[in-house]
């Protein structure tokens, strides 16, 4: 039996670098700051704010409250927000025409926020799902059951132009149609909107973790989850995600995004290694929901778990993170 008091002859004792708060701070490799975070904001046309059942602590706000919420986050140091509308069912149709209303909810919100806080960066999604009655991001052909790529891209170009004219800083195509980044870039430039950037949802996977978001914008259809596998990526595929990122870069994206974030850290890290563009990651609704739900049950420490989830995304290589924890990070409680 070894003598328990006998010293091991170790050349290295890595624990020396973990022994005190001081040394732990000095050797820290990644720090999460408020400047890394983008806050998604859900808005609706009117009425009192509603909490999203599957995303406790996250609300749908009427336009005035949504603006105030955005300004409050800005005052606390958040430099960018992303707007997501919940459109009344009565205004949805199969073509998502409400997406092209220059006086619609999102253009109005963009104008209002940029008017009141020009320094706050405003990002708006480009995709049809908040506006279609079938919940798909593109035009759905009921005869073939297909999502029509090129016809959708034409609409997305128009949508991006309307958002650009309203004053948005970045449009964020989240639809995964082929060729939309190049087409949107060209259409913005044609409209003298060179200043508007394109943040491409480059590697967006067909994830089960989007469920709560679909509750939030009212695009959930039935019990199961809407099948977007003809345009979003197979969660099993890494190379395909890298190729999509490369194509979006070639088509002129200013920023690339990987989504979801936590379950796809390998994709983040590999895209990071292959591009010089800034890289965003979207910690999606289901990632938020699982941490919050476990914390509410007393099974996880909310503060520690959410911070760990975010620093891991940064460590993987993301420069910026879309996260529903942004308000909590800046101490905003509703
Ligand atoms: C839709 C869109 C989705 C999200 C952002 N934009 C959902 C989807 O593709 O169904 C998901 C965000 C989240 O889950 O937090 N174009």
């Amino acid at each position: 039996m070894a003598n328990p008091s006998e010293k091991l002859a170790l050349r290295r004792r890595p624990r020396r670098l973990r022994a005190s708060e001081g040394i732990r701070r000095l050797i820290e490799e990644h720090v999460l700051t408020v400047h890394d975070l983008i806050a998604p904001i859900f808005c609706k046309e009117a009425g009192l704010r509603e909490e999203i059942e599957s995303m406790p602590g996250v609300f749908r706000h009427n336009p005035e409250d949504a603006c105030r919420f955005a300004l409050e986050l800005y005052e606390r140091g958040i430099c960018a927000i992303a707007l997501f509308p919940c459109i009344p069912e009565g205004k949805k149709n199969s073509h998502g025409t409400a997406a092209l209303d220059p006086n619609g909810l999102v253009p109005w919100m963009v104008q209002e926020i940029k008017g009141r806080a020009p320094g706050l960066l405003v990002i708006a999604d480009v995709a049809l799902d908040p506006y279609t009655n079938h919940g798909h991001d593109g035009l759905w052909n009921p005869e073939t059951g297909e999502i029509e790529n090129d016809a959708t891209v034409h609409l997305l170009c128009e949508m991006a132009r309307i958002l650009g004219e309203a004053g948005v800083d970045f449009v964020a195509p989240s639809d995964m149609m082929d060729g939309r980044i190049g087409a949107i870039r060209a259409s913005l430039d044609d409209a003298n909107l060179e200043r508007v950037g394109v943040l491409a949802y480059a590697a967006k996977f067909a994830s089960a973790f989007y469920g709560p978001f679909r509750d939030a914008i009212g695009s959930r259809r039935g019990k199961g989850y809407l099948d977007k596998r003809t345009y979003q990526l197979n969660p099993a595929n890494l190379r395909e995600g890298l190729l999509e990122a490369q194509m979006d870069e070639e088509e002129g994206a200013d920023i690339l995004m990987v989504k979801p974030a936590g379950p796809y850290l390998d994709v983040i890290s590999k895209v990071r290694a292959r591009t010089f563009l800034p890289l965003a990651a979207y910690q999606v609704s289901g990632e938020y929901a699982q941490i919050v739900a476990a914390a509410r049950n007393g099974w996880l420490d909310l503060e520690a778990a959410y911070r760990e989830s975010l620093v891991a995304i940064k460590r993987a290589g993301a420069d910026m993170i879309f996260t529903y924890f942004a308000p909590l990070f800046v101490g905003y409680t509703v």
Side-chain angles (χ1 to χ4, degrees):
M1 260 265 280
N3 174 358
S5 66
E6 191 179 316
K7 279 192 192 170
L8 300 174
L10 298 184
R11 277 172 55 92
R12 289 199 176 275
R13 289 186 180 270
R15 289 186 57 198
R16 272 198 287 269
L17 295 178
R18 298 171 209 144
S20 67
E21 191 60 33
I23 190 62
R24 286 196 295 267
R25 283 193 183 144
L26 280 180
I27 68 160
E28 186 159 79
E29 298 175 36
H30 297 282
V31 185
L32 192 67
T33 85
V34 64
H35 296 146
D36 300 321
L37 307 182
I38 297 162
I41 296 181
F42 294 112
C43 50
K44 58 174 185 168
E45 290 185 346
L48 295 176
R49 71 163 200 218
E50 300 160 288
E51 188 166 24
I52 295 141
E53 208 181 324
S54 51
M55 301 177 75
V58 178
F59 294 80
R60 262 179 241 120
H61 299 280
N62 67 40
E64 180 51 32
D65 288 353
C67 282
R68 272 203 232 117
F69 182 41
L71 299 188
E72 175 76 33
L73 295 177
Y74 182 49
E75 271 166 31
R76 290 166 182 260
I78 297 278
C79 46
I81 59 149
L83 293 172
F84 294 99
C86 179
I87 302 297
E89 285 299 323
K91 289 196 179 171
K92 296 184 185 182
N93 61 29
S94 62
H95 285 58
T97 11
L100 304 183
D101 178 2
N103 303 312
L105 177 57
V106 177
W108 187 90
M109 291 274 319
V110 169
Q111 241 163 338
E112 190 69 14
I113 295 174
K114 291 304 288 183
R116 283 153 77 167
L120 174 59
L121 213 75
V122 178
I123 302 168
D125 250 40
V126 174
L128 299 180
D129 55 312
Y131 307 94
T132 53
N133 52 16
H134 42 73
H136 280 293
D137 296 28
L139 294 173
W140 179 63
N141 182 333
E143 273 147 41
T144 60
E146 276 171 21
I147 303 298
E148 297 190 335
N149 193 86
D150 300 12
T152 300
V153 171
H154 289 304
L155 291 181
L156 298 178
C157 286
E158 177 78 21
M159 187 179 177
R161 215 160 47 224
I162 288 164
L163 293 165
E165 268 150 15
V168 86
D169 294 288
F170 281 84
V171 289
S174 64
D175 56 290
M176 292 301 280
M177 296 301 118
D178 292 340
R180 89 278 203 222
I181 300 301
I184 287 172
R185 182 69 271 161
S187 117
L188 289 170
D189 293 349
D190 279 350
N192 295 320
L193 292 166
E194 289 88 355
R195 62 163 183 82
V196 178
V198 177
L199 190 163
Y201 284 69
K204 176 173 179 181
F205 291 86
S207 174
F209 288 90
Y210 303 150
F213 174 94
R214 293 179 188 168
D215 291 334
I217 68 160
S219 74
R220 196 194 277 273
R221 294 287 169 269
K223 273 209 169 47
Y225 80 109
L226 190 61
D227 188 349
K228 298 189 175 184
R229 288 177 300 172
T230 69
Y231 44 107
Q232 299 178 350
L233 299 172
N234 181 343
N237 292 358
L238 168 65
R239 283 197 311 268
E240 196 182 6
L242 299 180
L243 182 58
E244 282 282 359
Q246 187 184 317
M247 287 166 59
D248 285 1
E249 174 163 3
E250 284 162 6
E251 287 178 37
D254 298 284
I255 301 174
L256 300 175
M257 173 144 75
V258 173
K259 174 185 175 187
Y264 295 84
L265 296 182
D266 57 331
V267 184
I268 295 173
S269 132
K270 295 213 158 80
V271 173
R272 172 71 288 153
R274 282 163 176 76
T275 181
F276 292 118
L277 291 182
L279 181 58
Y282 200 137
Q283 183 184 52
V284 300
S285 54
E287 299 178 73
Y288 173 86
Q290 56 182 343
I291 292 174
V292 172
R296 292 211 162 185
N297 271 305
W299 297 340
L300 281 180
D301 180 87
L302 178 66
E303 192 71 19
Y306 98 76
R307 283 174 182 269
E308 181 178 333
S309 72
L310 291 173
V311 88
I313 295 165
K314 217 181 154 185
R315 191 194 64 236
D319 299 298
M320 63 195 92
I321 308 170
F322 286 66
T323 174
Y324 302 100
F325 289 115
L328 189 60
F329 189 87
V330 294
Y332 182 91
T333 42
V334 270

